[in-house]
Amino acid sequence: MATDALKRQIAGKWQNSFARLNRDQEGIVGLLVFSEAWTLATEFLHPRDLNDPAANKDWDMSQVRVAVETLSRSKMLPLLLENFLEDMRKQQHLITRDVQQYISQYEEAEDIHHIARLIYRLLEWYRAWVPISELGHTILSAYTLTFQTHVYSILPPSFSRGFKQLVNATFEIGMSPIAPPWLPPTPPALQSLVPAPRPDLPLWGAFEQLGLLDRNESLISSVCYEHIEAHILGTCARRWSERMLQPMREWMTNKIVPWMVMPYARGARSAEEARSMLQGVGSRFDFHVCKTLSDLRTREIFDIIIDFPDSQPALEDLKECLQRVDQRSQLVQTLRKANRKRLLHPGADTKDILTQYVSIIRCLRLVDPPGVLLFKVADPIRRYLRERPDTIRCIVASLVGDGESGDSLVDENEPIQPLQQIQVEDYTDPSWEPEPIDAGPDFRTNKPSDVISTLVSIYDSKDLFVRELQVLLAQRLLAITDGNFDRERRNIEILKIRFGEAALQVCEVMLRDMTESKRIDQHVQSQKNMILHPTIISRHFWPPLQAGKFVMPGQFKQIQDDYAQEFHAFKQDKKLRWLPHLGTIHLEIELQDRTVPADVPPLEAAFIELFSEKDTWTVDELIARVGSVDRPAALKALATWVDMGVVKEGAPNQYILLEVAEDAATHPRPTRMVEEAPAVLTVEQQQADQMKVFWKFIEGMLRNLGTLPLDRIQTMLKFAPNYDRTIEQLGAFMEAARREGMVTVSGGMWKLSRA
Amino acid sequence: MKVHVKNWHGIAQWRWDTGHSDMDDDGEGDVCGICRVPYEGCCPSCKMPGDDCPLIWGECSHVFHMHCLLQWIATSASKQQCPMDRRPWVTAERKANRDDNAAR
């Protein structure tokens, strides 16, 4: 159905094409030349099989060039490209076969050697098929694209793994020119005239030519990250006694940067160029170094604090890292968690908690001078410490340098300064700085790191400390027998600076009582030589002492009376009242066959004195003679003598003096630990005693009013003198009373139980 | 058997000999009628008890911190009277009547 027009059109096209191919040559000479050139060019470009040596023939490059020139003039290059790509597609199975072979070898042996060989082999294929440059840029890029598309499409997932291992292995090479065994010999195509500074340099060249670098950039950097991480963890973990950040950065410069040049600065011609190319990626890696180190130190922070001050370098590292990496909140969270898990539980000693708290204060001050981190971390510790019953005692004990515990919480070198009150910010101060941005709403700066002020500020009032201090001081002073209390005086002087003169006035009186006693004793001894050297105290200024009233028998009574009389003669207006149960007596018991020396409390002395009247006593007789002594105390006193082999238990409750020592084997009584009852009531005991008074009030209230809710009881008790308990304390007390069966509670209403 | 006491470290409290103190063995003791602080404590202007803040005994048998009483006597409102019974204040001679007081 060809119309004329169509025919004409086709004829025109034909003429055009012919003219183009023939290039105005005579007859069909041009066409023939073109046809020859086409054949030559396509044959030249045809992708060869590398395994077939026959396919590899020598080409006369000048002829090829002429042919290409011819084709180019005929504008047939696009067609040639299409043809070439089609040929490639037909030959691709050759590459596929090779790849599969290498990969299966690798999967079998897990040896990256095969991956390296695969890379080189792929490069060989690429090189063999690459069209000559005369064909132009377009054809080259089209070729590369097609080649890479194919290669990537056939590489199995295991290649990624192998590639990663391969990249990782290149870290090990370092600067040594000796190639590791896994690196196959560089194929001739990649050998350059200049010997490569690193044996893996050709490999990186191959990576680049195959486009593996661009495609796997994230993989390569992740390998690098992992390498850095592994190195830091391996080198720095638990090494806190030296700075690690700087050595790590040096390690980066010496070991990682030369490596980085290969993937990231390949094209660099000069050192400066390389440097500028590496800048971005370098700072990324530097950030990673900081982050890894700060993560590591954050994880270790609790133990670092335990090791302080040996671990100070680690904290300085952390400080520097935190400036680069914002991990502050992680640090706080980790430390809070560690504290909760390892510190703030009933198994930990209050002393240890305080020690760790002080270390935390010191450490975090180092890491973060404004104290924001410290404030956040310290809060739970402080709240916990407030609930512990013996916190104050521990703090006070360390304040006065408890001899037995060795290290004190307070650094000896720290200047002694008064307790600091919360400072109001002085906005007129020219060097005023706003609070850090991550400070919480109730953040308070307490300026210098005075540990004692911080510890005392756990509690709202320092009176508690002073009371506890008084008890502690009393215990120590009463235990002193040689009249040397310089240490206590020094302690009090130091504490005066901290707590202020007024607060420690009571302690001052106690110390004066000590000197006064010494003076009085000197006078009394000059009048009449006596073996009794008492400490005479001013009541109202000493904490309540253990109550105890008994009468010393025999010569003891005589000695006491003599002394009291001498005292009265010396101080006309004053009298002495003995606290017979306190103090110690050094005596010697002269028995028929032996003499027993002993240092004993007064009750023991009283009992043994009674034994000089007769040899056999029952416990009740003994108690009746000395007055009001409770039975356990009496038994304890007798046990002391039994242990010394001076008396023995005859019939139950009957004790017999041993004038002649009995064989030790006949009374194998285990030496029992005689626990020294402290002479001074502790603060808790004082409170418990006080509560007994308040119980009377509560009892009266409930008897008169029937049932009462807790807050009513609290309100009414507030009218009682000296009542300072919180409703929580009252609740705990009522709960204790309920357990004792004295009250019952239902629906929040308390009532007396029917007796 | 014989017990030889070699050395005895005892503890004692001192009390003012106010003449009527034996009733309160355990209690807080008598207080100064002016400042309401126990005799063995010290008056509000003192810091150290005992010899630094002594008592003063009146013929009327009332006893005060010396500093408290002197301050009271110094005021014109006192008319030199004992604040307890409004009798003219006469300081007792201690040494002479000590045994009497003790016996009472």
Side-chain angles (χ1 to χ4, degrees):
Chain A
M1 262 270 294
T3 59
D4 283 351
L6 191 60
K7 278 181 188 158
R8 263 201 310 280
Q9 213 176 340
I10 291 171
K13 286 243 179 198
W14 169 260
Q15 281 302 325
N16 269 345
S17 305
F18 177 77
R20 201 172 69 228
L21 294 180
N22 205 22
R23 295 180 312 282
D24 304 331
Q25 305 267 335
E26 274 181 41
I28 55 163
V29 176
L31 199 58
L32 285 175
V33 172
F34 169 80
S35 155
E36 247 170 58
W38 175 264
T39 318
L40 187 68
T42 47
E43 210 165 298
F44 172 73
L45 281 178
H46 186 76
R48 306 171 280 127
D49 183 359
L50 281 179
N51 299 323
D52 180 8
N56 201 358
K57 48 178 175 174
D58 288 331
W59 293 93
D60 182 351
M61 287 314 285
S62 59
Q63 271 187 0
V64 174
R65 263 185 217 109
V66 171
V68 170
E69 174 73 7
T70 313
L71 293 181
S72 161
R73 258 188 280 131
S74 314
K75 301 196 174 67
M76 287 303 282
L77 284 183
L79 213 61
L80 184 69
L81 173 63
E82 230 167 80
N83 189 58
F84 168 60
L85 294 181
E86 189 53 47
D87 281 351
M88 259 180 79
R89 242 161 251 137
K90 280 182 197 145
Q91 295 288 76
Q92 272 167 358
H93 64 276
L94 297 171
I95 303 180
T96 314
R97 202 185 55 211
D98 265 14
V99 168
Q100 274 163 357
Q101 188 191 337
Y102 283 112
I103 288 289
S104 65
Q105 275 174 358
Y106 164 71
E107 279 171 356
E108 216 170 279
E110 284 290 329
D111 187 354
I112 47 170
H113 172 69
H114 299 295
I115 295 290
R117 275 179 56 213
L118 168 65
I119 301 280
Y120 282 153
R121 184 65 176 173
L122 282 174
L123 190 67
E124 260 180 82
W125 283 108
Y126 178 81
R127 288 283 177 100
W129 287 5
V130 73
I132 51 169
S133 54
E134 280 83 351
L135 284 169
H137 184 67
T138 327
I139 195 165
L140 185 66
S141 59
Y143 162 72
T144 310
L145 184 69
T146 318
F147 184 85
Q148 289 179 358
T149 312
H150 176 64
V151 168
Y152 297 152
S153 73
I154 56 169
L155 285 174
S158 58
F159 174 77
S160 286
R161 187 158 46 94
F163 182 70
K164 207 167 158 180
Q165 283 173 0
L166 188 64
V167 172
N168 209 0
T170 59
F171 280 111
E172 313 301 330
I173 291 176
M175 295 302 281
S176 110
I178 302 147
W182 53 264
L183 195 67
T186 313
L190 281 168
Q191 270 163 4
S192 58
L193 294 174
V194 209
R198 289 173 60 119
D200 56 337
L201 197 61
L203 187 66
W204 286 99
F207 286 162
E208 197 197 16
Q209 289 206 357
L210 291 173
L212 286 168
L213 283 186
D214 292 340
R215 194 177 156 80
N216 290 315
E217 196 179 353
S218 65
L219 190 139
I220 291 171
S221 53
S222 84
V223 168
C224 190
Y225 284 148
E226 278 165 27
H227 187 71
I228 291 172
E229 243 163 71
H231 180 79
I232 290 181
L233 294 185
T235 324
C236 306
R238 303 198 71 85
R239 265 176 75 183
W240 304 320
S241 53
E242 48 192 307
R243 295 289 305 260
M244 295 311 292
L245 186 60
Q246 203 47 42
M248 284 304 112
R249 283 185 163 150
E250 273 159 25
W251 171 79
M252 282 288 289
T253 319
N254 295 333
K255 295 277 146 79
I256 299 298
V257 170
W259 176 88
M260 272 162 53
V261 170
M262 294 183 299
Y264 296 110
R266 284 195 57 78
R269 277 179 295 276
S270 66
E272 272 89 74
E273 207 175 328
R275 199 166 300 136
S276 70
M277 285 169 92
L278 287 177
Q279 210 161 36
V281 68
S283 91
R284 238 166 60 207
F285 283 140
D286 183 58
F287 181 88
H288 193 70
V289 170
C290 289
K291 173 145 164 51
T292 312
L293 192 60
S294 91
D295 280 352
L296 176 69
R297 292 294 181 242
T298 302
R299 278 198 299 279
E300 297 172 329
I301 187 75
F302 191 85
D303 294 299
I304 292 180
I305 292 173
I306 291 179
D307 258 23
F308 187 80
D310 294 344
S311 58
Q312 185 162 348
L315 292 162
E316 280 158 13
D317 274 349
L318 184 60
K319 179 184 181 181
E320 205 174 327
C321 289
L322 284 180
Q323 280 163 359
R324 182 118 166 75
V325 196
D326 187 27
Q327 299 279 354
R328 289 160 62 97
S329 58
Q330 276 90 328
L331 182 69
V332 169
Q333 271 168 11
T334 314
L335 189 52
R336 280 176 76 139
K337 209 166 143 196
N339 281 338
R340 213 164 42 236
K341 199 172 149 203
R342 296 177 59 178
L343 196 62
L344 308 179
H345 56 72
D349 207 17
T350 307
K351 178 114 182 67
D352 295 340
I353 299 180
L354 282 170
T355 316
Q356 180 74 355
Y357 177 40
V358 170
S359 297
I360 290 176
I361 294 175
R362 297 226 170 92
C363 293
L364 293 187
R365 284 256 175 230
L366 208 67
V367 174
D368 171 51
V372 179
L373 297 186
L374 175 62
F375 183 79
K376 289 182 181 169
V377 173
D379 202 43
I381 305 177
R382 294 167 67 88
R383 246 179 294 145
Y384 182 82
L385 280 173
R386 220 171 292 158
E387 284 163 15
R388 280 230 168 186
D390 56 344
T391 304
I392 298 185
R393 200 174 315 143
C394 273
I395 296 175
V396 169
S398 76
L399 276 181
V400 298
D402 212 342
E404 59 207 86
S405 58
D407 60 334
S408 130
L409 293 177
V410 194
D411 190 353
E412 294 289 326
N413 305 323
E414 224 167 79
I416 300 156
Q417 45 191 328
L419 293 183
Q420 287 147 359
Q421 303 302 321
I422 302 155
Q423 286 152 331
V424 184
E425 284 208 73
D426 177 14
Y427 295 106
T428 55
D429 180 6
S431 57
W432 177 86
E433 274 179 31
E435 284 174 356
I437 44 166
D438 53 350
D442 47 357
F443 170 75
R444 299 189 308 258
T445 28
N446 33 1
K447 294 250 161 54
S449 56
D450 178 27
V451 171
I452 295 298
S453 298
T454 318
L455 287 181
V456 171
S457 70
I458 293 177
Y459 292 86
D460 295 329
S461 112
K462 62 183 184 183
D463 296 349
L464 291 168
F465 287 89
V466 175
R467 258 162 81 190
E468 195 66 56
L469 183 67
Q470 201 189 346
V471 168
L472 194 80
L473 184 69
Q475 274 169 3
R476 290 202 181 174
L477 289 180
L478 291 186
I480 287 173
T481 49
D482 57 355
N484 180 7
F485 53 96
D486 291 348
R487 207 167 71 105
E488 321 305 329
R489 168 155 301 281
R490 198 183 62 98
N491 281 332
I492 293 297
E493 289 301 328
I494 292 173
L495 289 173
K496 260 198 216 162
I497 303 175
R498 293 199 190 279
F499 287 92
E501 294 258 352
L504 294 187
Q505 180 55 37
V506 174
C507 300
E508 197 58 28
V509 174
M510 289 161 73
L511 287 173
R512 203 201 51 156
D513 281 347
M514 297 299 288
T515 27
E516 197 71 352
S517 304
K518 217 162 150 185
R519 212 166 57 79
I520 293 170
D521 192 49
Q522 268 164 10
H523 176 83
V524 170
Q525 300 293 342
S526 70
Q527 298 295 312
K528 187 178 178 185
N529 203 14
M530 277 197 261
I531 41 164
L532 175 57
H533 303 280
T535 299
I536 301 166
I537 64 174
S538 306
R539 59 187 201 137
H540 306 300
F541 292 87
W542 288 64
L545 302 172
Q546 294 280 9
K549 275 184 299 181
F550 62 89
V551 185
M552 295 297 280
Q555 53 170 324
F556 293 106
K557 177 81 184 146
Q558 190 56 45
I559 295 168
Q560 279 182 338
D561 287 349
D562 285 354
Y563 201 100
Q565 213 173 346
E566 283 300 324
F567 176 81
H568 194 58
F570 179 47
K571 299 266 173 189
Q572 305 264 326
D573 297 331
K574 290 185 193 166
K575 290 187 295 187
L576 270 195
R577 172 153 311 162
W578 293 100
L579 301 169
H581 54 294
L582 299 179
T584 49
I585 302 171
H586 179 69
L587 40 77
E588 262 179 23
I589 301 156
E590 193 186 316
L591 295 157
Q592 275 176 17
D593 61 337
R594 67 200 190 280
T595 311
V596 181
D599 266 314
V600 287
L603 184 60
E604 272 87 336
F607 281 176
I608 205 68
E609 174 72 11
L610 289 174
F611 273 101
S612 65
E613 290 175 20
K614 57 173 185 168
D615 284 357
T616 310
W617 289 83
T618 65
V619 179
D620 295 319
E621 280 173 332
L622 285 170
I623 293 175
R625 277 297 296 272
V626 294
S628 63
V629 172
D630 58 353
R631 212 180 157 79
L635 288 175
K636 203 194 95 190
L638 283 166
T640 313
W641 294 119
V642 172
D643 287 343
M644 289 193 201
V646 177
V647 298
K648 71 166 184 181
E649 193 170 357
N653 279 333
Q654 198 184 40
Y655 288 82
I656 305 162
L657 181 72
L658 297 169
E659 277 287 2
V660 179
E662 277 187 5
D663 193 3
T666 57
H667 47 97
R669 192 193 189 95
T671 330
R672 68 175 82 172
M673 288 292 290
V674 181
E675 208 169 292
E676 201 63 39
V680 186
L681 293 182
T682 62
V683 174
E684 284 115 77
Q685 282 170 310
Q686 290 176 33
Q687 281 180 349
D689 280 357
Q690 235 181 334
M691 212 58 205
K692 275 186 204 144
V693 178
F694 297 130
W695 168 246
K696 291 277 170 234
F697 291 132
I698 298 171
E699 208 177 7
M701 254 181 247
L702 294 176
R703 183 167 296 129
N704 292 330
L705 300 169
T707 62
L708 286 175
L710 196 61
D711 51 348
R712 244 335 257 301
I713 301 177
Q714 172 77 358
T715 323
M716 292 174 76
L717 277 178
K718 283 210 180 118
F719 295 115
N722 301 328
Y723 183 78
D724 57 353
R725 303 303 146 86
T726 63
I727 191 152
E728 287 81 18
Q729 285 170 318
L730 177 68
F733 176 75
M734 293 303 285
E735 187 56 36
R738 188 189 63 78
R739 279 197 298 275
E740 301 263 312
M742 296 195 282
V743 287
T744 54
V745 61
S746 65
M749 300 294 277
W750 296 87
K751 65 185 263 203
L752 289 177
S753 30
R754 298 260 159 263
Chain B
M1 184 204 63
K2 249 180 118 63
V3 177
H4 299 287
V5 184
K6 293 289 172 193
N7 192 0
W8 182 359
H9 173 234
I11 313 282
Q13 288 173 342
W14 60 265
R15 299 280 176 99
W16 288 112
D17 184 6
T18 53
H20 36 76
S21 62
D22 278 353
M23 298 112 81
D24 58 298
D25 258 1
D26 264 341
E28 284 297 288
D30 274 351
V31 295
C32 164
I34 296 173
C35 65
R36 311 296 298 166
V37 173
Y39 291 135
E40 283 82 13
C42 47
C43 77
S45 52
C46 281
K47 283 184 172 163
M48 291 290 179
D51 295 344
D52 291 347
C53 184
L55 300 190
I56 192 162
W57 285 259
E59 290 279 1
C60 54
S61 88
H62 291 125
V63 185
F64 304 100
H65 288 128
M66 189 175 77
H67 300 144
C68 295
L69 187 87
L70 293 182
Q71 217 180 331
W72 160 250
I73 294 291
T75 59
S76 56
S78 71
K79 296 180 191 147
Q80 309 292 307
Q81 292 167 338
C82 167
M84 302 297 267
D85 57 12
R86 297 279 164 190
R87 283 199 278 172
W89 177 262
V90 183
T91 307
E93 187 56 50
R94 291 287 300 151
K95 273 174 194 141
N97 61 3
R98 198 185 77 207
D99 294 327
D100 299 347
N101 272 344
R104 230 180 333 164

